[in-house]
């Protein structure tokens, strides 16, 4: 893989920050402008689909921008949530305006929060890991980095991995199965650590204790603005947000298969090498390389054009919520190629069984 000849300034990685700022502007203007974040996401889908594939390894200039951007998106997300709380406190918004706020908030929190949180959870620095926890606290998932780093990355593409969608499984069931699986893995990992170190469940060093404190603080602040009468809408927002979050996770390993205990290879992750997909996701779309070298900084991840490929992340996300289109037009044709040309003999046998269970044969 050749690098681009000219160094690329890292400003393209501020695409997510720009979307978040548009969302903040929409909430500031009020009224139907709260749909601005959703409109920005739709424009992103159209633009990313129309752009050519980007298979280059870019030689990004070594500045602090690519570090700073990972931190700057959290304040914008917090601002969006607090502005939404203020909007609900007045009880003056129409149903259309409230739904616009919910959808914009869900899309922007997932798209603007998941990629930087994911990058930071793979760092070893104390500040990076704590900042990741702050992102995850807004998601009400402050411990889920444990399940991801020490669970998903070991089990990826196997039947043991809750973050790998099964063939024929819809995003609507996967989103919550994955959420529950990651939570269980995180709890078991932390319980094991506490037992090994003989640390109390309620010790300040316990992630359980820290999670209760962080979530309590966040919810007290939010409901002190929105009021307790906003609880039903908060629950609805979180349900939609978890569906959106699950939708983005859904496309990373859907239907791929690895025998338990066998090495992780490039063929065990989908890659989506579109310019905006790469920029907005902080190169998560170079997913094969990420699973081979999880701690590698995002700008250094090498694209693998020969690895399993899907279209734009944004397009795949939209199609995932319409299962007949997702299966027939997007993923089944690519899985057929994977089964025939990429899977080893043991994986081909498991793939045949998976296709039968999915009702595809």
């Amino acid at each position: 893989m050749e690098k681009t000849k000219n160094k690329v300034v890292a400003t393209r990685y501020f695409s997510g920050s720009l979307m978040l700022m548009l969302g903040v502007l929409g909430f500031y203007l009020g009224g139907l402008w709260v749909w601005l974040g959703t409109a920005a996401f739709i424009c992103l889908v159209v633009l990313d689909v129309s752009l050519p594939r980007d298979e280059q390894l870019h030689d990004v200039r070594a500045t602090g921008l690519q570090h700073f951007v990972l931190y700057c998106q959290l304040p914008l997300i917090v601002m969006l949530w607090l502005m939404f709380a203020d909007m609900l406190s007045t009880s003056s918004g129409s149903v259309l305006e409230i739904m616009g706020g919910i959808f914009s908030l869900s899309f922007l929190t997932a798209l603007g929060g998941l990629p930087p949180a994911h990058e930071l959870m793979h760092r070893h620095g104390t500040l990076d890991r704590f900042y990741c926890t702050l992102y995850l606290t807004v998601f009400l998932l402050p411990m889920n980095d444990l399940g991801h780093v020490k669970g998903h990355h070991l089990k990826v593409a196997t039947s043991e991995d809750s973050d790998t969608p099964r063939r024929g499984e819809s995003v609507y069931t996967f989103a919550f199965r994955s959420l529950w699986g990651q939570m269980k893995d995180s709890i078991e990992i932390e319980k094991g650590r506490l037992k090994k170190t003989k640390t109390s469940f309620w010790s300040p060093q316990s992630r359980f204790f820290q999670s209760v404190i962080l979530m309590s603080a966040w919810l007290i602040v939010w409901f002190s603005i929105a009021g307790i009468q906003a609880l039903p809408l908060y629950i609805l927002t979180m349900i939609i947000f978890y569906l959106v979050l699950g939708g983005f996770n859904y496309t990373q390993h859907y239907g791929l298969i690895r025998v338990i205990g066998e090495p992780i290879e490039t063929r065990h992750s989908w890659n989506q090498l579109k310019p905006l997909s790469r920029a907005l996701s902080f190169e998560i779309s170079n997913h094969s390389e990420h699973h081979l070298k999880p701690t590698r900084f995002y700008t250094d991840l090498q694209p693998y054009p020969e690895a399993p490929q899907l279209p734009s992340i944004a397009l795949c996300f939209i199609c995932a919520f319409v299962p007949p289109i997702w299966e027939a037009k997007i993923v089944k044709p690519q899985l057929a190629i994977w089964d025939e040309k990429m899977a080893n003999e043991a994986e081909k046998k498991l793939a045949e069984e998976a296709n039968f269970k999915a009702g595809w044969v």
Side-chain angles (χ1 to χ4, degrees):
M1 175 64 59
E2 295 183 358
K3 292 185 179 182
T4 50
K5 293 182 180 179
N6 298 321
K7 290 188 175 182
V8 179
V9 179
T11 50
R12 75 178 193 150
Y13 295 113
F14 280 84
S15 304
S17 300
L18 177 60
M19 285 189 63
L20 288 169
M21 285 188 275
L22 287 173
V24 169
L25 176 62
F27 274 93
Y28 174 76
L29 294 174
L32 294 179
W33 282 105
V34 295
W35 285 92
L36 186 59
T38 303
F41 175 75
I42 294 171
C43 291
L44 160 70
V45 175
V46 174
L47 182 59
D48 202 33
V49 170
S50 64
L51 291 172
R53 287 171 57 81
D54 179 10
E55 299 178 353
Q56 295 287 346
L57 173 59
H58 297 290
D59 189 5
V60 177
R61 188 173 300 161
T63 70
L65 281 176
Q66 57 268 57
H67 296 274
F68 172 72
V69 68
L70 299 172
Y71 286 82
C72 74
Q73 295 188 185
L74 178 60
L76 293 170
I77 290 171
V78 170
M79 192 180 303
L80 279 170
W81 277 90
L82 297 183
M83 294 175 83
F84 181 58
D86 183 64
M87 171 185 170
L88 296 182
S89 71
T90 63
S91 302
S92 59
S94 67
V95 172
L96 192 59
E97 290 168 8
I98 291 172
M99 291 308 299
I102 290 174
F103 279 106
S104 291
L105 192 61
S106 299
F107 284 130
L108 295 178
T109 303
L111 195 58
L114 178 61
H118 175 263
E119 176 68 18
L120 291 171
M121 73 176 60
H122 284 286
R123 304 278 187 87
H124 296 301
T126 302
L127 178 60
D128 291 332
R129 297 295 295 274
F130 177 70
Y131 211 79
C132 164
T133 302
L134 294 181
Y135 273 110
L136 297 179
T137 298
V138 178
F139 304 172
L140 300 187
L141 302 170
M143 285 176 51
N144 268 34
D145 57 305
L146 297 176
H148 178 83
V149 175
K150 299 181 180 182
H152 168 63
H153 271 265
L154 299 178
K155 304 174 184 177
V156 63
T158 70
S159 57
E160 295 179 342
D161 183 30
S162 62
D163 251 11
T164 297
R166 306 176 183 120
R167 298 186 184 197
E169 182 177 22
S170 80
V171 67
Y172 300 100
T173 57
F174 166 77
F176 297 102
R177 180 179 70 83
S178 170
L179 188 68
W180 178 244
Q182 286 285 294
M183 288 175 64
K184 286 198 304 180
D185 284 351
S186 299
I187 289 169
E188 289 302 315
I189 290 167
E190 182 62 5
K191 282 172 65 177
R193 185 187 73 85
L194 294 176
K195 183 177 180 180
K196 185 177 180 180
T197 59
K198 297 181 179 179
T199 304
S200 167
F201 187 86
W202 295 111
S203 166
Q205 283 73 47
S206 164
R207 288 290 299 271
F208 294 111
F209 177 79
Q210 295 167 10
S211 296
V212 169
I213 295 298
L214 287 170
M215 285 197 297
S216 297
W218 168 245
L219 292 173
I220 287 170
V221 169
W222 197 85
F223 280 104
S224 69
I225 297 172
I228 195 62
Q229 77 281 353
L231 180 60
L233 286 174
Y234 179 82
I235 293 173
L236 176 62
T237 303
M238 291 307 298
I239 290 172
I240 294 174
F241 165 70
Y242 287 141
L243 275 171
V244 173
L245 195 67
F248 285 111
N249 285 333
Y250 186 71
T251 66
Q252 303 302 305
H253 303 282
Y254 180 95
L256 298 178
I257 291 168
R258 180 172 66 92
V259 176
I260 296 172
E262 291 296 310
I264 298 171
E265 306 286 353
T266 58
R267 68 179 180 274
H268 296 128
S269 301
W270 293 110
N271 297 265
Q272 295 147 312
L273 301 179
K274 285 282 195 166
L276 281 175
S277 292
R278 292 181 60 180
L280 284 161
S281 72
F282 295 110
E283 305 291 352
I284 291 176
S285 56
N286 290 333
H287 216 56
S288 288
E289 169 86 338
H290 169 66
H291 271 275
L292 295 179
K293 299 170 183 175
T295 59
R296 174 166 284 185
F297 193 70
Y298 70 92
T299 57
D300 297 326
L301 289 174
Q302 176 177 317
Y304 280 85
E306 69 279 7
Q309 301 293 323
L310 287 178
S312 154
I313 284 180
L315 176 64
C316 287
F317 168 82
I318 294 294
C319 292
F321 286 91
V322 188
I325 294 177
W326 165 251
E327 289 189 358
K329 301 298 183 181
I330 303 290
V331 79
K332 282 178 69 174
Q334 294 304 314
L335 279 173
I337 295 172
W338 190 90
D339 291 351
E340 180 182 353
K341 298 182 178 180
M342 298 185 185
N344 62 29
E345 290 305 314
E347 291 168 346
K348 286 181 179 180
K349 183 177 180 181
L350 291 174
E352 289 176 2
E353 295 173 2
N355 289 339
F356 179 79
K357 289 180 181 177
W360 292 355
V361 291

